[in-house]
Amino acid sequence: MDLDAITKHSALHIKPNGLILQYGTAGFRAKAEHLDHVMFRMGLLAVLRSKQTKSTIGVMVTASHNPEEDNGVKLIDPLGEMLAPSWEEHATCLANAEEQDMQRVLMDISEKAAVDLQRKAFVVIGRDTRPSSEKLSQSVIDGITVLGGQFHDYGLLTTPQLHYMVCCRNTHGGYGTATIEGYYQKLSKAFVELTKQAFCSGDENRSLKVDCANGIGALKLREMEHYFSQGLTVQLFNDGTKGKLNHLCGADFVKSHQKPPQGMEMKSNERCCSFDGDADRIVYYYRDTDGQFHLIDGDKIATLISSFLKELLLEVEESLNIGVVQTAYANGSSTRYLEEVMKVPVYCTKTGVKHLHHKAQEFDIGVYFEANGHGTVLFSKAAEMKIKQLAEELEDKKRKAAKMLENMINLFNQVVDRQLISTTDAERRAVTPPGLQEAIDDLVKKYKLSRAFVRPSGTEDVVRVYAEADSQASADSLAREVSLAVCQLAGGVGESPQLGF
C-alpha cells in the first residue's frame, strides 16, 4: 500500500470541516457537493474489501428516492448482497477520518479485517442519472486506482443491475452473463415463461403504464422493452425528458401520498406501477370502476408472491421451508392473512433492508418487501437445486409424454363378428370373449410402462387394438401379441394383424 500516494491523491478530495456521515442500509446519503471525499474513500475501501474477500466488489453511485440535489454511494458484496455490517463500521470510520488520520485508519482496517494487501482487487462501478453522478463516479475510480485496483465502469445502471453484475462475476457466469444483454435476456426469459402460466381473462396482450420517476429506470426499461414485446406493452411516464428526478413522481411519492404520480392519467382497471430514482423499488396501483385508487405496496406484493409460491409447493407436494420477513411497520392484515390463511410463517426484524435480507437467508425460500416496494425473493442453494430438479423432472415428464405419444400403436384385427367382443370401464377392459382380458393382462406385464386394450369397431367387423410401452419396439411387440390373442379368442380371419392409424 503506497500511503504517500494515497495522501497525495486524498488532498484532491478534501473532506469538508465538521461533516460527519453514517453508513447505513442505503450507504451514504448527503447533498452531492459534500460527497467528493466520500466517493474517493469508498473507492479505497472497495479495493480493500475485494482483496479481503478475493472477489469482485461493486460501488453504486446513487441516492435512490432522494431529491435530485442529493447523491450517495453504497458498496455491494460478492454475491450481490449489501455490505457486511462490520465493513459498514469501516466505511463510517474511513469517511469521517481527518486528512492526517487517513493512513492510520486504512492500516487499522487492513489489520482488523486481515486484508492481504498483495492480492489483486477488482471493482465494478455503476451510477444513476443525477447530474452529479458522473463526476462522483470518477472520484471512486481515483480511489480504486491509487490503491492499485482494477475496475470496470458500467456507467449508467439501475442498482439491481449492478447487484446482478457483481453476482455474475463472482459465480463465474453461474448466475448469468455479466453484461447488460445478459441481464435483459435472463429476466425477460423468466418473465415470459412465468406469464405463459398466468390466467389473464382473455387479455393476451398485457399492457402496463410505468412511472420511471424521471430516473435511470426509463433508460433501461426502454432498452429492455423489445425483449418481452410479444407478451407486454409498456408505456413510459416521467421518463426524464422533462421534470426532476423523484419530484411528484416515483414509488416513494405514490406510497406516501396514496395517489398517482404527476403526468400519468389512469383509466379504470389499467395496470400501473412506479419505480424510484435508481429502480430498486416498485409499487403497483390501479383505479377501480368507481374511480377509487388502490395501491399494491410492498406488503401486498410480498403476500401475493409468498401465497403463489406456497400454492406451487403444495401442488408439487414439496416441503421447502418458506418464510416471509417484515418490519413492525408492515400492514397487520397482511401478517394475519399469511399466518392464519396461507399458513406461511412471518418474522419481524428491525427496519432496514439489511436486517430483512439477513433473516430471509435463513429459509429455503425467503420473501421480504418493505412497504415502500423495496424487496426480493431469496432462494437457498438447496432450494435452487430442488427447483432445478423439479423443473428437470417436469421436462422429463414432458419428454416421456411426447415419447409415449410416439409409442402409442393402433392395430386393427378383422373378425367374423365384432359383437363377440364387449367391453367395460370406458372401453378399457374386455368382458367377452372369456379369457381375452386375462390374456391382455398377462401380455402387459411383460413390458415396462405399458398398457393395452381392445374395442370393437362401431361400423365394421374389425377390432381395434391400442398399446403403449416405454419404447417404440416394445409398443409394436405388445400390439402384435394382443392382436394375435384377439385372433385366437375372438374368431380372427384373414392375414396377420397389420399396423394402422
Side-chain angles (χ1 to χ4, degrees):
M1 186 187 299
D2 190 341
L3 295 175
D4 290 337
I6 292 169
T7 299
K8 180 180 177 181
H9 281 78
S10 183
L12 303 175
H13 304 277
I14 295 295
K15 173 183 174 291
N17 288 329
L19 181 65
I20 302 295
L21 297 173
Q22 178 75 35
Y23 193 106
T25 299
F28 290 112
R29 297 274 176 89
K31 294 296 181 186
E33 60 265 28
H34 297 153
L35 288 173
D36 180 58
H37 74 292
V38 174
M39 299 295 175
F40 172 74
R41 296 177 185 195
M42 290 307 99
L44 298 173
L45 192 71
V47 170
L48 295 181
R49 181 63 170 157
S50 177
K51 289 174 181 285
Q52 193 244 2
T53 59
K54 307 172 189 176
S55 306
T56 296
I57 296 297
V59 179
M60 185 69 196
V61 178
T62 182
S64 190
H65 62 282
N66 280 36
E68 187 173 273
E69 296 76 20
D70 293 351
N71 217 318
V73 60
K74 53 187 172 185
L75 273 62
I76 299 171
D77 257 1
L79 293 180
E81 71 269 53
M82 285 157 291
L83 186 63
S86 61
W87 279 77
E88 289 184 5
E89 295 177 15
H90 296 327
T92 298
C93 288
L94 187 57
N96 293 325
E98 299 301 331
E99 287 297 322
Q100 64 269 22
D101 298 325
M102 277 283 291
Q103 293 188 12
R104 177 185 58 80
V105 171
L106 284 169
M107 291 306 299
D108 284 349
I109 293 171
S110 300
E111 291 173 9
K112 288 178 181 178
V115 177
D116 181 354
L117 296 174
Q118 302 307 311
R119 284 197 170 274
K120 293 181 179 180
F122 197 85
V123 180
V124 292
I125 308 156
R127 68 177 190 270
D128 68 12
T129 55
R130 294 166 193 272
S132 60
S133 290
E134 186 171 5
K135 184 176 183 297
L136 292 175
S137 289
Q138 186 57 52
S139 298
V140 174
I141 292 170
D142 290 349
I144 295 168
T145 54
V146 75
L147 261 185
Q150 301 296 308
F151 70 92
H152 178 81
D153 184 4
Y154 280 100
L156 293 169
L157 285 184
T158 69
T159 294
Q161 285 176 333
L162 189 63
H163 283 264
Y164 168 87
M165 301 303 175
V166 173
C167 186
C168 289
R169 285 177 175 270
N170 288 317
T171 56
H172 308 291
Y175 187 70
T177 305
T179 62
I180 290 293
E181 179 82 6
Y183 178 88
Y184 293 152
Q185 287 179 344
K186 178 169 182 167
L187 267 68
S188 61
K189 181 181 178 181
F191 172 80
V192 170
E193 287 300 314
L194 181 62
T195 52
K196 282 179 182 177
Q197 314 302 321
F199 175 72
C200 215
S201 301
D203 182 11
E204 295 181 359
N205 187 22
R206 302 170 181 86
S207 62
L208 180 67
K209 288 184 172 182
V210 184
D211 159 33
C212 298
N214 289 315
I216 185 66
L219 238 82
K220 297 304 174 181
L221 187 55
R222 190 168 280 125
E223 290 176 359
M224 189 178 184
E225 201 175 348
H226 72 274
Y227 285 87
F228 45 64
S229 58
Q230 294 182 346
L232 180 68
T233 300
V234 176
Q235 292 179 269
L236 304 188
F237 297 83
N238 300 313
D239 62 357
T241 54
K242 57 183 179 179
K244 293 180 67 175
L245 180 70
N246 294 320
H247 181 60
L248 302 178
C249 59
D252 194 58
F253 173 86
V254 173
K255 173 71 173 71
S256 300
H257 293 82
Q258 297 285 308
K259 67 179 184 179
Q262 191 176 71
M264 179 191 285
E265 292 185 9
M266 292 175 59
K267 297 177 182 177
S268 64
N269 294 324
E270 285 185 324
R271 301 181 183 94
C272 305
C273 70
S274 287
F275 295 147
D276 64 344
D278 63 338
D280 70 345
R281 294 184 182 188
I282 189 169
V283 295
Y284 292 87
Y285 44 93
Y286 66 95
R287 289 193 190 280
D288 61 25
T289 52
D290 295 325
Q292 181 69 34
F293 179 82
H294 295 270
L295 177 68
I296 304 174
D297 62 8
D299 293 333
K300 293 178 181 176
I301 292 171
T303 302
L304 289 169
I305 290 175
S306 53
S307 298
F308 171 71
L309 291 172
K310 180 67 181 290
E311 288 174 357
L312 282 182
L313 292 175
L314 289 172
E315 187 176 328
V316 297
E317 298 182 345
E318 187 53 56
S319 58
L320 289 173
N321 183 20
I322 182 171
V324 176
V325 187
Q326 298 180 330
T327 71
Y329 296 96
N331 187 302
S333 61
S334 70
T335 307
R336 287 190 295 274
Y337 177 80
L338 286 167
E339 291 183 328
E340 297 172 11
V341 179
M342 294 307 301
K343 307 301 181 184
V344 174
V346 179
Y347 298 83
C348 188
T349 70
K350 293 189 291 186
T351 303
V353 172
K354 65 182 178 183
H355 302 298
L356 293 157
H357 189 93
H358 180 72
K359 185 65 180 178
Q361 290 177 313
E362 297 179 10
F363 305 98
D364 293 326
I365 302 175
V367 181
Y368 72 85
F369 271 84
E370 293 182 303
N372 59 30
H374 193 176
T376 192
V377 181
L378 301 179
F379 294 89
S380 68
K381 290 291 184 184
E384 288 179 5
M385 291 177 64
K386 191 62 182 178
I387 290 169
K388 184 178 179 181
Q389 179 186 342
L390 289 171
E392 289 174 350
E393 288 176 0
L394 180 60
E395 287 302 313
D396 187 52
K397 287 179 180 178
K398 288 180 180 178
R399 286 192 296 270
K400 285 181 177 177
K403 192 167 184 63
M404 190 68 77
L405 287 173
E406 294 175 1
N407 294 342
M408 292 176 184
I409 299 299
N410 281 302
L411 289 166
F412 61 88
N413 289 16
Q414 190 170 4
V415 292
V416 175
D417 181 1
R418 65 180 185 273
Q419 294 182 4
L420 289 173
I421 294 181
S422 61
T423 62
T424 187
D425 190 17
E427 299 185 322
R428 290 178 296 184
R429 296 190 65 79
V431 177
T432 59
L436 177 58
Q437 186 59 54
E438 289 77 4
I440 294 173
D441 290 342
D442 289 340
L443 292 170
V444 166
K445 291 176 184 177
K446 294 169 56 179
Y447 300 90
K448 294 180 180 179
L449 300 175
S450 63
R451 67 183 185 126
F453 54 84
V454 300
R455 69 171 183 84
S457 168
T459 57
E460 54 187 324
D461 284 328
V462 297
V463 175
R464 300 193 180 279
V465 177
Y466 177 91
E468 295 176 11
D470 64 338
S471 69
Q472 185 70 54
S474 293
D476 288 348
S477 179
L478 174 59
R480 280 180 164 71
E481 290 197 75
V482 171
S483 297
L484 289 173
V486 169
C487 287
Q488 293 167 1
L489 297 172
V493 296
E495 298 180 359
S496 298
Q498 302 294 314
L499 286 172
F501 301 93

